Amino acid sequence: NAGVTQTPKFQVLKTGQSMTLQCAQDMNHEYMSWYRQDPGMGLRLIHYSVGAGITDQGEVPNGYNVSRSTTEDFPLRLLSAAPSQTSVYFCASSLDRGPSVEQYFGPGTRLTVT
Amino acid sequence: EDKVVQSPLSLVVHEGDTVTLNCSYEVTNFRSLLWYKQEKKAPTFLFMLTSSGIEKKSGRLSSILDKKELFSILNITATQTGDSAVYLCAVQEYGNKLVFGAGTILRVKS
């Protein structure tokens, strides 16, 4: 199993550009989520999905869109990049059942918006 | 508002020292508390705690949860330079959402 994969690893955008961060998992996990991490702060939840066709907002959803057309993929779209979106982005996945479930993180995408 | 607070924010110790990292939380639908280690890449899983008073151990690391007082501690004994990292505490709510603390930066000097 490859686990959780993310592409690209690094990206530089100009203000106003759009792009999609890719996330895929091969563990047949139902739950997938996107976090951003800024210096001195923990990870903050952007969007999450409990299964194909179902998505919901997290703590900091503004400026981001997601969709979940398959179990494996959960792309994050930046519609019009802003410098405030400069951050490291992590995708995570887990099973969506059981008394407690461990989340598996991807390697991260470092995004800089100039 | 759900929140997770970690202390201290950072600390510097010498090899061989013992450190205790703290995590307190206020969340609506507690499911479990998790500790992660992060070394300039993705967080790596250390422990998941769901029951009060039961210590989890892995080598020199151990952790315990107090659901009455709403806190957890992570202990590292005989610290090594390889323990230098950011340690993240997160509370998992029902629905699998994770609420993270800001982390504790640990630096172990040789």
Side-chain angles (χ1 to χ4, degrees), chain A residues 31 35 37 40-43 45 48 50 57 90 94-103 105-108, chain B residues 1 31-32 34 36 38 40-43 45 48 50 86 88 92 94-103:
Chain A
Y31 182 87
Y35 295 87
Q37 186 175 32
M41 302 182 74
L43 282 73
L45 182 65
Y48 66 98
V50 299
Q57 296 181 349
F90 291 103
S94 66
L95 293 171
D96 188 34
R97 54 184 177 272
S100 56
V101 290
E102 178 185 345
Q103 295 204 18
F105 285 86
Chain B
E1 183 183 328
R31 185 178 194 179
S32 61
L34 298 94
Y36 290 88
Q38 188 176 29
K40 298 199 182 296
K41 49 187 179 180
F45 173 79
M48 177 185 288
T50 56
V86 177
L88 296 168
Q92 188 174 51
Y94 281 92
N96 284 8
K97 288 194 283 186
L98 287 176
V99 180
F100 280 85

Side-chain angles (χ1 to χ4, degrees), chain A residues 36-114:
Chain A
R36 61 177 287 174
Q37 186 175 32
D38 302 301
M41 302 182 74
L43 282 73
R44 291 182 293 168
L45 182 65
I46 305 171
H47 285 286
Y48 66 98
S49 169
V50 299
I54 306 168
T55 63
D56 206 346
Q57 296 181 349
E59 180 186 355
V60 288
N62 292 341
Y64 307 95
N65 272 0
V66 292
S67 60
R68 185 94 178 270
S69 56
T70 67
T71 299
E72 295 78 20
D73 301 298
F74 191 44
L76 178 73
R77 297 184 188 84
L78 280 70
L79 306 173
S80 178
S84 61
Q85 293 178 305
T86 294
S87 189
V88 179
Y89 291 84
F90 291 103
C91 179
S93 75
S94 66
L95 293 171
D96 188 34
R97 54 184 177 272
S100 56
V101 290
E102 178 185 345
Q103 295 204 18
Y104 297 82
F105 285 86
T109 294
R110 185 175 294 275
L111 175 67
T112 302
V113 182
T114 61

Side-chain angles (χ1 to χ4, degrees), chain B residues 53-70:
Chain B
I54 299 174
E55 184 183 52
K56 294 227 173 171
K57 280 183 71 77
S58 177
R60 296 175 294 102
L61 278 68
S62 64
S63 184
I64 197 162
L65 172 67
D66 186 327
K67 291 171 73 173
K68 182 180 177 185
E69 300 297 330
L70 307 183

